[in-house]
Amino acid sequence: MRTRPVLLVIAHGSRDPRHAATVHALVERVRSLRPGLRVETGFLDFNVPSVHGVLESLAARGVRDVVALPLLLTRAFHAKADIPAVLRDAPARLRIRQAEVLGPSPLLLSALERRLYEAGLTPADKSSTGVVLASAGSSDPEAIAVIADIAREWRHTGWCAVRPAFASASLPRTEDAVQELRRLGCARVAVAPYVLAPGFLPDRIARGAADADVCAEVLGAAPEVARVLLERYDQARRPALTALGA
């Protein structure tokens, strides 16, 4: 029986201890959904173990195949440059496939919506509620365009209006998007953080949501997010499985 590749979840890392705790909780949920799959976690910065350290350890233990999955919602600098650079320095015996980032995905929209309901909204509120889709932000135009596309797609599911906002690098800020939705006449305004874990930028989003009626929690270890991780893992494995006739 051919051994399944190890899933290496690559997180950015943060000085905020809530970040690593949330990442580990998400990874535990992934393990619970796919018993028997070996799942490891590595961080690019601030936290341990480092990605390089995990790869060295896997190689030393005889692992050959790894799927490296960026714990990112958009394909920006970290996915295009930082992570490939780290993977190029991996031990030569490892065969590594880099999976796609998590977003966009219908499952992530489901998770965003569920977080809003957990914060106090109900499905009956959708048609009268404007939503700010608040992301961390990026200087990468592709990443910004993806957030705008997600906002447009989400609007078509029944919300009064959906506007993108960014905590850094791009405009508008969360507080500005909240005010725009007020001017549009939305009966209530909700902020949905499109971020995976707590930290500096999510805290900035929360502060920008001060004048909103509702501010949801970050996506965190939502079951939908865990399912997206496994989807990306399976997609990264597929070329090799096809070649083997599996």
Side-chain angles (χ1 to χ4, degrees):
M1 178 178 176
R2 192 170 187 271
T3 303
R4 288 182 291 184
V6 171
L7 170 56
L8 171 58
V9 177
I10 301 179
H12 182 273
S14 171
R15 292 186 178 89
D16 189 321
R18 297 174 298 169
H19 175 90
T22 301
V23 171
H24 290 309
L26 175 59
V27 168
E28 283 303 316
R29 188 177 286 275
V30 171
R31 291 187 179 117
S32 72
L33 291 176
R34 185 83 52 96
L37 173 62
R38 182 171 180 178
V39 187
E40 302 287 346
T41 309
F43 296 90
L44 291 173
D45 206 354
F46 301 117
N47 302 106
V48 292
S50 68
V51 176
H52 182 74
V54 174
L55 292 171
E56 291 278 358
S57 177
L58 290 173
R61 294 177 184 180
V63 170
R64 295 294 304 275
D65 293 301
V66 176
V67 170
L69 195 155
L71 197 60
L72 301 168
L73 294 171
T74 58
R75 182 172 161 75
F77 181 78
H78 293 304
K80 294 177 179 179
D82 283 353
I83 291 175
V86 173
L87 298 181
R88 282 195 295 271
D89 288 336
R93 67 170 289 136
L94 292 176
R95 292 190 293 262
I96 303 175
R97 294 187 287 279
Q98 182 176 331
E100 291 296 328
V101 298
L102 303 185
S105 167
L107 284 170
L108 295 178
L109 284 181
S110 296
L112 285 168
E113 203 150 299
R114 189 162 59 78
R115 289 291 188 234
L116 286 172
Y117 296 151
E118 290 169 353
L121 294 181
T122 70
D125 296 324
K126 287 185 74 168
S127 63
S128 58
T129 301
V131 179
V132 178
L133 179 67
S135 75
S138 173
S139 58
D140 188 308
E142 178 186 348
I144 298 305
V146 166
I147 299 299
D149 288 343
I150 293 170
R152 282 191 292 270
E153 178 182 346
W154 203 15
R155 163 68 182 82
H156 294 314
T157 66
W159 296 101
C160 176
V162 180
R163 294 291 185 271
F166 307 94
S168 67
S170 306
L171 295 174
R173 294 286 182 258
T174 302
E175 52 268 35
D176 298 326
V178 168
Q179 294 307 314
E180 180 188 354
L181 291 172
R182 293 281 188 215
R183 290 192 295 270
L184 284 174
C186 298
R188 65 186 61 77
V189 176
V191 173
Y194 189 58
V195 290
L196 287 167
F200 177 75
L201 292 178
D203 285 349
R204 180 180 287 177
I205 289 171
R207 291 193 297 272
D211 291 334
D213 300 292
V214 169
C215 183
E217 294 295 323
V218 300
L219 293 170
E224 298 92 342
V225 179
R227 287 169 58 196
V228 176
L229 263 72
L230 289 171
E231 282 187 358
R232 298 293 182 258
Y233 170 80
D234 291 336
Q235 289 163 0
R237 290 182 66 209
R238 198 160 292 144
L241 292 175
T242 301
L244 289 167

